[in-house]
């Protein structure tokens, strides 16, 4: 089989044909021409058109490589007279109207960009970073338009920091299907509202049963406004995070007051206190007991933390509630400011904490995906613009369909 025929078949040309193939040192050039008087299609509506208006100057498209040689297609596009759209550039079976690369290459790029950084993907295909960015963003646009939208029942709202905690994005997951639903720039009420109004819409909001999230007023307000039937559940792992932060705050306060000799023994105890006691090694247990003899505030903090964790094990709502109110009372009497604050926070969020005994879901189900987002940011050295970061998140976590090659 001739190489011309092979390429024509690969590109699935019907109204076009390959006239010549030329090999140079760094690439393989493929000239394409119209096949006889076959009808061309309109680039806008894909309708067959009888008349060709004019021939434009030659354009070039990058295609997948042939072994090591870069393949380049060259063709003089026609403008057709479409009965519906007027004079338009024809439809190319090998590429999207705007593209400088073929559909086959852009899909290959999009697939690799799910695994590598955009920079790495660009290097692999000998493209520049900007081309990869354009391809990924187009793929995401296509994917969001064409993805399936089954009813959603349990969602998790979480935040992701960008640029080392300076700026935040909001991510929403379907906790049942474990898929990313939506990404918003920032975590304010206005930034997250479009998830409920645009992505979900009032009809799909009605099927929402549980919304799992951090104790963040903006999120809770939006849920009450747009999905009043949904139960708000404050995420277990966020609550534990706040609890650990309280222990840490007590520890730091104490550290400030220690003498330098006391500090040496005290050093490196942060992890001892955050770890579960049954996971401690013998020497760690010893250091913990030294600590216990020494620092009553820290020990009180540590016992409070351990006692709180029992809450997650209760199966009967009234027992859980009893435990929690006892705990809050003892935290308020502890004379530890961070714990008082934490207890106050719990008290004002009880209606979203107590349902845990009945609905045992948490954002931990999508922790893997959260880590993935962190690694996406990390491998690209933190995206400079939110727009690019958001596109990359959708691309890697949204399970979006890729454009179909014709
Ligand atoms: Zn048309």
């Amino acid at each position: 089989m001739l190489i011309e025929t092979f390429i024509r078949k690969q590109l699935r040309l019907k109204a076009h044909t390959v006239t010549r193939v030329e090999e140079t040192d760094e690439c393989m050039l493929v000239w394409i021409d119209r096949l006889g008087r076959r009808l061309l299609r309109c680039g806008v509506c894909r309708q067959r058109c009888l008349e060709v208006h004019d021939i434009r100057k030659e354009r070039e498209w990058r295609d997948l490589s042939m072994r090591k040689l870069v393949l380049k297609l060259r063709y003089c596009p026609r403008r057709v007279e479409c009965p519906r759209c007027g004079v338009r550039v024809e439809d190319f079976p090998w590429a999207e109207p705007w593209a400088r690369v073929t559909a086959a290459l852009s899909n290959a790029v999009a697939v690799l960009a799910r695994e590598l950084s955009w920079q790495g993907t660009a290097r692999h295909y000998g493209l520049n970073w900007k081309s990869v960015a354009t391809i990924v963003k187009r793929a995401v646009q296509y994917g969001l338009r064409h993805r399936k939208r089954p009813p959603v029942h349990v969602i998790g709202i979480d935040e992701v920091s960008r640029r080392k905690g300076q700026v935040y994005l909001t991510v929403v997951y379907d906790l049942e299907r474990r898929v990313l639903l939506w990404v918003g720039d920032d975590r304010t009420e206005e930034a997250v509202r479009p998830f409920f109004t645009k992505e979900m819409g009032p009809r799909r909001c009605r099927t929402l049963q549980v919304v799992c999230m951090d104790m963040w007023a903006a999120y809770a307000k939006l849920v009450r406004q747009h999905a009043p039937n949904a139960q708000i559940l404050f995420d277990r792992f966020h609550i534990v995070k706040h609890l650990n932060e309280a222990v840490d705050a007590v520890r730091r306060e104490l550290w400030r007051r220690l003498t330098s000799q006391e500090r040496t023994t005290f050093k490196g105890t942060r992890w001892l206190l955050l770890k579960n006691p049954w996971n401690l090694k013998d020497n760690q247990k010893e250091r913990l007991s030294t600590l216990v003899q020494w620092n009553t505030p820290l020990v009180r903090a540590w016992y409070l933390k351990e006692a709180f964790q029992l809450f997650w094990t209760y199966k009967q709502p009234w027992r859980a509630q009893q435990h929690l109110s006892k705990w809050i009372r003892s935290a308020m009497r502890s004379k530890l400011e961070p714990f008082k604050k934490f207890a106050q926070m719990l008290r004002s969020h009880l209606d979203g904490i107590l349902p845990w005994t009945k609905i045992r879901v948490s954002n931990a189900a999508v922790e893997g995906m959260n880590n993935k987002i962190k690694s996406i940011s990390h491998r690209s050295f933190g995206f400079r613009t939110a727009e690019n970061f958001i596109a990359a998140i959708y691309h890697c976590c949204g399970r979006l369909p890729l454009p179909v090659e014709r």
Side-chain angles (χ1 to χ4, degrees):
M1 184 163 52
L2 284 170
I3 183 85
E4 284 85 351
T5 321
F6 173 75
I7 294 174
R8 176 171 57 81
K9 283 189 172 163
Q10 285 291 311
L11 293 172
R12 295 198 205 109
L13 303 182
K14 301 226 166 55
H16 302 82
T17 189
V18 175
T19 54
R20 188 154 58 94
V21 176
E22 198 184 295
E23 198 189 313
T24 68
D25 284 344
E26 81 272 10
C27 72
M28 198 132 110
L29 289 171
V30 178
W31 274 272
I32 295 174
D33 203 355
R34 186 179 174 197
L35 182 58
R37 305 229 357 114
R38 296 259 175 114
L39 296 187
L40 302 174
R41 290 170 189 271
C42 163
V44 179
C45 67
R46 300 228 169 114
Q47 157 117 335
R48 279 212 181 85
C49 305
L50 290 169
E51 295 299 323
V52 169
H53 185 265
D54 59 356
I55 303 180
R56 312 292 288 175
K57 71 173 192 319
E58 193 174 70
R59 265 178 65 182
E60 197 176 271
W61 290 264
R62 270 280 308 268
D63 193 15
L64 282 165
S65 301
M66 189 86 127
R67 311 213 90 210
K68 291 239 165 101
L69 282 176
V70 168
L71 216 63
K72 287 176 176 170
L73 313 182
R74 286 188 176 173
Y75 174 64
C76 299
R78 271 60 169 175
R79 284 202 304 175
V80 292
E81 287 173 15
C82 174
R84 271 189 256 177
C85 319
V87 174
R88 293 292 153 138
V89 175
E90 66 174 302
D91 171 58
F92 312 113
W94 56 85
E96 292 301 313
W98 46 268
R100 320 276 301 271
V101 298
T102 62
L105 177 57
S106 72
N107 269 5
V109 167
V111 168
L112 193 63
R114 285 196 168 142
E115 313 297 328
L116 293 185
S117 68
W118 293 1
Q119 194 68 57
T121 308
R123 214 176 301 128
H124 185 270
Y125 280 105
L127 297 165
N128 57 37
W129 180 90
K130 224 176 163 185
S131 314
V132 175
T134 313
I135 289 169
V136 172
K137 283 188 223 167
R138 293 279 180 173
V140 168
Q141 273 174 16
Y142 175 93
L144 287 176
R145 264 202 317 274
H146 291 86
R147 81 154 145 187
K148 289 197 184 83
R149 287 190 161 74
V152 183
H153 307 109
V154 183
I155 61 169
I157 307 181
D158 212 338
E159 64 204 19
V160 185
S161 76
R162 197 165 78 73
R163 284 197 269 146
K164 290 180 187 152
Q166 299 292 302
V167 209
Y168 286 90
L169 299 182
T170 298
V171 285
V172 183
Y173 299 104
D174 180 333
L175 292 182
E176 284 178 319
R177 289 190 302 135
R178 301 192 178 190
V179 65
L180 175 101
L181 292 177
W182 187 83
V183 190
D185 188 0
D186 212 344
R187 53 175 176 177
T188 60
E189 206 182 311
E190 302 85 75
V192 185
R193 190 184 304 278
F195 169 74
F196 293 96
T197 54
K198 292 199 180 117
E199 169 65 27
M200 293 293 279
R203 198 175 52 84
R204 274 158 51 81
C205 273
R206 252 175 264 145
T207 65
L208 276 181
Q209 290 162 3
V210 180
V211 183
C212 192
M213 62 168 116
D214 193 5
M215 293 174 274
W216 178 248
Y219 294 163
K221 190 175 167 196
L222 284 167
V223 174
R224 287 191 190 107
Q225 263 174 19
H226 297 280
N229 300 329
Q231 170 68 55
I232 291 175
L233 179 66
F234 293 114
D235 185 35
R236 172 177 176 171
F237 282 77
H238 276 107
I239 295 174
V240 173
K241 203 178 105 198
H242 292 299
L243 179 64
N244 284 336
E245 279 164 5
V247 177
D248 223 31
V250 173
R251 190 191 59 85
R252 265 184 280 119
E253 174 55 33
L254 209 71
W255 175 254
R256 263 201 298 276
R257 286 198 244 127
L258 286 180
T259 64
S260 65
Q261 204 227 323
E262 286 169 326
R263 280 188 185 188
T264 347
T265 328
F266 191 69
K267 220 167 189 176
T269 50
R270 181 159 178 247
W271 299 111
L272 287 182
L273 295 165
L274 296 182
K275 253 183 167 175
N276 288 321
W278 51 89
N279 286 337
L280 291 176
K281 295 195 192 93
D282 281 349
N283 66 327
Q284 290 174 321
K285 276 183 195 156
E286 224 169 87
R287 287 176 69 195
L288 191 64
S289 68
T290 321
L291 223 73
V292 167
Q293 290 162 5
W294 261 25
N295 302 301
T296 41
L298 197 53
V299 170
R300 280 204 310 277
W302 188 72
Y303 276 123
L304 274 173
K305 188 201 97 177
E306 290 307 313
F308 180 84
Q309 299 284 29
L310 279 177
F311 169 75
W312 310 112
T313 60
Y314 286 107
K315 297 230 164 61
Q316 280 166 308
W318 69 272
R319 277 182 187 277
Q321 183 162 11
Q322 200 179 41
H323 173 79
L324 204 58
S325 29
K326 263 193 203 161
W327 190 89
I328 289 174
R329 272 201 303 279
S330 58
M332 292 308 284
R333 280 196 311 261
S334 70
K335 291 186 201 136
L336 302 170
E337 266 322 300
F339 274 84
K340 280 193 200 165
K341 254 204 223 149
F342 177 69
Q344 272 157 1
M345 181 158 76
L346 292 181
R347 195 182 266 164
S348 55
H349 291 87
L350 280 179
D351 53 343
I353 297 171
L354 292 171
W356 162 261
T357 47
K358 283 171 280 162
I359 324 161
R360 298 206 173 225
V361 295
S362 90
N363 287 347
V366 288
E367 211 195 337
M369 217 137 24
N370 243 337
N371 289 335
K372 200 170 174 182
I373 293 176
K374 272 180 216 146
S375 82
I376 294 167
S377 165
H378 187 73
R379 75 189 181 199
S380 303
F381 307 106
F383 282 85
R384 240 168 292 159
T385 66
E387 189 205 352
N388 287 342
F389 190 23
I390 290 173
I393 294 174
Y394 272 126
H395 192 57
C396 296
C397 307
R399 274 195 244 150
L400 302 180
L402 284 176
V404 265
E405 289 168 48
R406 280 177 281 146

